[in-house]
Amino acid sequence: MMSAITTAAAAAAPNDTTTNFTDILKNSVTENFVSDISISKIIITMAISFIIGFFIYLLYKRVFSGILYSKSFNVSLIGMTMVTSMVIIAINSNLVLSLGMVGALSIVRFRTPIKDPTDLIFLFWAAAAGIVSGAGFFTLAAIGSIIVGLVMFFFIKRTSVETPYLLVVNCDGDTSELAVHKQLNTSVKRFNVKQKTVTNGNIEMTLEIRLHDKEGSFVNQLSGISGVKNAVLISYSGDYVS
């Protein structure tokens, strides 16, 4: 009799386990996806997204070091943060909608060229901040944005790098070339020959130089050297490794 009861209990155990697991899965889906979105949650989420996006906007404007500043791109960072948080709120509210959003967003392609890699970091930052804010992790969004902002400000704005210059010199032979090198040894902090082109009766050199100061008066001294045809100093705003 006892053996029959034990066998019956053992046979019923897998069904109970399956039922319990199914109930847990259903409860998890029910708790995580709610169709009713409160107005207060929407307002708070969008307000925090705007504050974080505005912080990204101010930091980008402050640390921008390119040639042409694009205000439209900078404003789009605020819009991206808020739009992304709005999408995440919608995804969290409905399971079917979340699956549809994943399929719809997977076919979207953005073809706007990003010339500066730093701009790409700000784009991902705005999108990530919107995702985290929309998911309700406001503390993570705020503290994470502050940390990222401090790192970006320190490495972009506070890093002191000597301004590089390019010097293009045309001379007529080896003697005048040696004279140019001798003059540069006394006039600039350091220099490096980047390119040298030798043709009949002409030597063209392109040198990267670092000045003691921002004075370029030594160019006139180079032009006065016998055999030097011309000397041109060019300032370049690109990035160099010091």
Side-chain angles (χ1 to χ4, degrees), residues 121-142:
I121 295 177
F122 278 93
L123 283 173
F124 273 109
W125 180 10
I131 292 173
V132 176
S133 300
F137 300 105
F138 303 132
T139 304
L140 174 60

Side-chain angles (χ1 to χ4, degrees), residues 150-159:
L150 291 175
V151 172
M152 296 293 290
F153 182 84
F154 176 79
F155 281 98
I156 295 178
K157 196 66 178 179
R158 293 302 182 185
T159 303

Side-chain angles (χ1 to χ4, degrees), residues 197-218:
T197 305
V198 180
T199 58
N200 186 20
N202 183 70
I203 298 177
E204 182 180 271
M205 295 183 295
T206 302
L207 306 97
E208 177 189 338
I209 65 173
R210 306 299 173 99
L211 302 179
H212 292 292
D213 50 33
K214 295 185 179 180
E215 295 290 336
S217 57
F218 72 95

Side-chain angles (χ1 to χ4, degrees), residues 39-55:
I39 301 298
S40 60
K41 179 181 178 181
I42 297 175
I43 295 175
I44 293 174
T45 302
M46 298 302 292
I48 293 178
S49 299
F50 171 77
I51 293 174
I52 296 176
F54 186 68
F55 171 72

Side-chain angles (χ1 to χ4, degrees), residues 167 183-184 187 215-226 228-233:
L167 178 65
Q183 180 64 41
L184 289 176
S187 301
E215 295 290 336
S217 57
F218 72 95
V219 178
N220 295 328
Q221 299 174 358
L222 291 177
S223 299
I225 296 176
S226 176
V228 175
K229 301 176 182 179
N230 58 69
V232 179
L233 184 64

Side-chain angles (χ1 to χ4, degrees), residues 71-237:
K71 185 178 180 180
S72 61
F73 172 81
N74 200 4
V75 173
S76 68
L77 297 177
I78 302 177
M80 176 172 289
T81 307
M82 299 182 68
V83 170
T84 305
S85 65
M86 181 177 63
V87 172
I88 296 301
I89 293 175
I91 289 177
N92 285 339
S93 65
N94 190 281
L95 176 60
V96 178
L97 179 61
S98 66
L99 297 177
M101 281 285 189
V102 172
L105 294 177
S106 64
I107 64 176
V108 177
R109 296 293 183 269
F110 299 97
R111 300 186 181 276
T112 302
I114 303 299
K115 298 180 180 180
D116 191 347
T118 306
D119 294 347
L120 190 61
I121 295 177
F122 278 93
L123 283 173
F124 273 109
W125 180 10
I131 292 173
V132 176
S133 300
F137 300 105
F138 303 132
T139 304
L140 174 60
I143 296 178
S145 295
I146 292 174
I147 294 175
V148 173
L150 291 175
V151 172
M152 296 293 290
F153 182 84
F154 176 79
F155 281 98
I156 295 178
K157 196 66 178 179
R158 293 302 182 185
T159 303
S160 59
V161 179
E162 298 175 347
T163 303
Y165 291 86
L166 294 179
L167 178 65
V168 181
V169 180
N170 285 275
C171 51
D172 59 4
D174 295 336
T175 303
S176 55
E177 179 185 356
L178 293 176
V180 169
H181 289 176
K182 183 178 180 180
Q183 180 64 41
L184 289 176
N185 285 326
T186 59
S187 301
V188 302
K189 186 179 296 184
R190 67 178 184 270
F191 68 93
N192 181 29
V193 178
K194 306 295 290 185
Q195 183 179 1
K196 180 178 178 181
T197 305
V198 180
T199 58
N200 186 20
N202 183 70
I203 298 177
E204 182 180 271
M205 295 183 295
T206 302
L207 306 97
E208 177 189 338
I209 65 173
R210 306 299 173 99
L211 302 179
H212 292 292
D213 50 33
K214 295 185 179 180
E215 295 290 336
S217 57
F218 72 95
V219 178
N220 295 328
Q221 299 174 358
L222 291 177
S223 299
I225 296 176
S226 176
V228 175
K229 301 176 182 179
N230 58 69
V232 179
L233 184 64
I234 304 171
S235 175
Y236 180 63
S237 61

